[in-house]
Amino acid sequence: MRCNEAAGLLLPAAAPGTLLADVVPDWLCAAHHALILPGPHAVLDGEGPLRGAIGGRRFEAHPTVRRDGSVAWWLVDDTDHQLLQEALHMERERTAFLARASNVLLSSLNLGRCMDVTAQMAAESLADAALAIAPARGERLPVVSCLRGGAPALSTVTVDPDGVPGLGEALRGFPPVPSRWIDPALAPEWMVPEGFGPVGSIVITPLPGHGVPAGVLILLRKAEHAAFRDEEEVFARLFAARAGAAMSAARLYAEQTAITDVLMRELLPPTLHQISGVDFAGQYRPSADHERIGGDFYDVHPAAVEGEASLVSLGDVCGKGLEAAVLTGKIRNTLHALLPLAGDHQRMLSLLNTALLSSHHTRFATLVLASAVRRGSMVDLKLTSGGHPSPLIIRTDGTVEETDTHGTLIGVLPNISSSTTAVSLAPGESCVLYTDGITEAKGGPMGDALFGEERLRRALSGCAGMPAEGIVEHVQMLAAQWLGNRSHDDMAVVVISAPRTHHLSAVNGHTRGRFTA
């Protein structure tokens, strides 16, 4: 055995006459014996150079057969190269994990789903168990815990976050405390999942959100496993940044959805029913199926005093969509405030016109007001139109009459004009208020014909004697059939009916309240 000066430094025991097995490591000795054996050379036929460790460093071994049959082994220090390759491989895996985590987290705007994914992905790739904690609700902390290989579980704990080192600071968004500063023995019982065993190390890192902390991520590693290294804590913070962004977006979306639902409830048309012996029914169809509100609206305001008239309003704001819906909300609120003047329709319309002219909106509206009160078995109506299609009366014999009320648009001119008419409904007769979305619905065989007033009148003439709900359903059904799948404007219909009643002979009277309804 011979070696040069560099090999002598690497293998100090190498000297002429010594046995190879006494000097070199086992991996190199086995490769040498495999090389000199007859038959296929296992080492030379392998893929790539032979690699192994000597004295804590890594080497590539390249054999060369000399002319005299001896073998010279060239050892190349490959430690730095292999470390770089391992680091590159690790970075590729981490990058792929972060990309996958981003895709999964951002695919949902549900906060609970984001917390589940955060805990589960962290438990699978970063630790033996993970906990995703949302900001406290009072003194309660929503916690999703997950063991590696298990399913996430939601719970709520009532604890003082400042009682756990690093937890209170993380919930307030401060930088994380290094894991080596956290004593695993101090982990509270609620933090350790059932069946986990002794905790070896803990990482507590904040989940940064949009302006405010989105929560905390806790990583647990078992006592028999190695503690978290500094680079692992840094990588955990990179994952936490993505999870926090997703949780923050989900929380903002939930808050906006809740606000929208509250506002939407105020803008949705009410459900109508019988009031003081008068039947009311209404139905609204927005211009787009994915919307719930639009530019058409209606309301029924019961009289404050029994025996007085209830006020019905049905209107149409120019345009459609959210901006039109906002203006309808303003009009409805203004009319509600003007209810003490419900006996004077023209005064109400004039004041509403002033309110619209003083707003920043450039839109205008058409409106019809109807006061309805029951007198015995009859229903007396007072109708006033402000640029709106005149209401139609359905008599018991099928005759359809147009009411004599007209007026100017609301919100265009400084002064408006309108006329009021009075009609009475016998039992079984109805008054139909509608928006132009019904008559201007385009459809038919060629798809370009208007539904029109005449077609509406013919449809209503067949509704004689029908209840108010039936008339509304019938009109909306015919309009929908006429339209097919074509686009349309908002459509609203309100029907006021005098119900068929019978006097109660048992109480011997025809006064108010002594009849069936």
Side-chain angles (χ1 to χ4, degrees):
M1 177 179 180
R2 290 181 296 174
C3 62
N4 61 7
E5 183 178 356
L9 295 175
L10 180 65
L11 303 169
T18 56
L19 295 176
L20 184 66
D22 297 336
V23 177
V24 302
D26 294 340
W27 63 271
L28 184 56
C29 183
H32 180 75
H33 287 299
L35 181 65
I36 63 177
L37 289 175
H41 293 167
V43 174
L44 295 179
D45 292 343
E47 294 182 358
L50 181 69
R51 289 188 172 89
I54 301 176
R57 297 191 66 80
R58 303 175 186 182
F59 288 87
E60 287 184 0
H62 301 272
T64 300
V65 180
R66 306 179 66 187
R67 292 181 179 179
D68 59 358
S70 61
V71 178
W73 285 94
W74 302 89
L75 302 180
V76 180
D77 190 339
D78 193 36
T79 304
D80 295 339
H81 182 251
Q82 290 192 35
L83 289 177
L84 288 175
Q85 283 190 324
E86 291 177 359
L88 179 61
H89 178 71
M90 180 64 71
E91 288 302 319
R92 286 175 175 170
E93 287 189 342
R94 289 176 172 175
T95 302
F97 170 75
L98 290 177
R100 187 170 69 256
S102 298
N103 291 335
V104 176
L105 288 167
L106 296 178
S107 64
S108 174
L109 286 175
N110 181 282
L111 180 59
R113 169 66 178 163
C114 289
M115 292 180 67
D116 289 349
V117 170
T118 298
Q120 191 166 26
M121 295 194 74
E124 294 297 333
S125 303
L126 305 178
D128 296 318
L131 293 85
I133 302 177
R137 299 173 182 169
E139 296 182 350
R140 297 182 303 170
L141 288 176
V143 179
V144 173
S145 57
C146 184
L147 278 170
R148 174 172 291 181
L154 173 65
S155 61
T156 302
V157 296
T158 303
V159 296
D160 179 12
D162 292 326
V164 180
L167 180 57
E169 293 85 348
L171 282 172
R172 290 190 288 273
F174 290 121
V177 175
S179 65
R180 60 180 178 276
W181 293 5
I182 303 175
D183 184 0
L186 299 179
E189 185 178 350
W190 63 266
M191 186 183 292
V192 183
E194 185 177 357
F196 186 79
V199 180
S201 56
I202 302 174
V203 167
I204 300 178
T205 185
L207 295 168
H210 300 296
V212 294
V216 168
L217 175 66
I218 298 179
L219 305 178
L220 305 177
R221 192 163 281 178
K222 295 182 178 179
E224 59 267 28
H225 294 166
F228 290 100
R229 303 192 304 273
D230 290 343
E231 59 268 26
E232 289 177 318
E233 293 186 41
V234 172
F235 182 68
R237 289 198 288 272
L238 294 176
F239 171 74
R242 287 157 174 78
M247 290 174 58
S248 181
R251 179 176 291 105
L252 289 175
Y253 178 76
E255 292 175 355
Q256 292 178 356
T257 301
I259 293 172
T260 302
D261 287 343
V262 171
L263 297 176
M264 190 78 73
R265 282 198 295 272
E266 295 297 320
L267 295 176
L268 287 174
T271 301
L272 305 186
H273 51 81
Q274 187 182 82
I275 300 174
S276 299
V278 181
D279 287 343
F280 297 96
Q283 198 174 93
Y284 169 67
R285 182 182 178 184
S287 58
D289 292 336
H290 62 276
E291 294 178 348
R292 300 169 61 190
I293 56 177
D296 288 2
F297 64 94
Y298 60 79
D299 275 310
V300 174
H301 305 279
V305 180
E306 185 68 19
E308 294 187 358
S310 300
L311 179 68
V312 181
S313 61
L314 180 139
D316 181 2
V317 172
C318 173
K320 49 191 176 182
L322 181 59
E323 291 187 4
V326 172
L327 186 56
T328 63
K330 180 175 181 177
I331 294 175
R332 292 171 67 184
N333 290 334
T334 303
L335 289 174
H336 189 82
L338 295 175
L339 281 180
L341 305 176
D344 189 346
H345 289 180
Q346 297 185 20
R347 179 84 184 279
M348 289 187 74
L349 293 179
S350 178
L351 292 174
L352 177 63
N353 182 66
T354 303
L356 293 186
L357 289 176
S358 61
S359 70
H360 67 280
H361 290 283
T362 58
R363 298 174 184 269
F364 57 89
T366 63
L367 185 69
V368 60
L369 298 177
S371 294
V373 61
R374 184 157 181 166
R375 307 290 184 194
S377 61
M378 303 290 287
V379 172
D380 293 338
L381 294 177
K382 187 170 66 173
L383 302 163
T384 306
S385 172
H388 200 83
S390 299
L392 300 175
I393 305 296
I394 308 175
R395 299 301 183 187
T396 53
D397 60 355
T399 303
V400 178
E401 302 173 359
E402 181 177 336
T403 56
D404 184 21
T405 175
H406 305 280
T408 54
L409 300 175
I410 308 298
V412 177
L413 302 173
N415 298 304
I416 63 170
S417 61
S418 59
S419 61
T420 301
T421 186
V423 296
S424 294
L425 302 178
E429 295 181 342
S430 300
C431 175
V432 180
L433 286 64
Y434 62 95
T435 58
D436 58 7
I438 297 291
T439 54
E440 295 180 0
K442 283 188 176 181
M446 304 302 292
D448 57 352
L450 297 178
F451 188 75
E453 295 185 4
E454 286 302 318
R455 192 171 280 103
L456 176 62
R457 287 168 178 262
R458 289 197 298 272
L460 293 178
S461 66
C463 297
M466 290 178 61
E469 294 86 353
I471 297 174
V472 170
E473 291 283 350
H474 188 65
V475 173
Q476 289 281 15
M477 181 194 69
L478 292 179
Q481 289 178 344
W482 186 257
L483 279 168
N485 295 324
R486 302 175 186 88
S487 59
H488 59 88
D489 199 355
D490 300 322
M491 297 187 294
V493 179
V494 170
V495 174
I496 308 169
S497 295
R500 296 181 181 276
T501 58
H502 300 282
H503 295 287
L504 297 175
S505 57
V507 294
N508 191 26
H510 291 251
T511 57
R512 182 174 183 78
R514 295 174 180 267
F515 47 79
T516 60

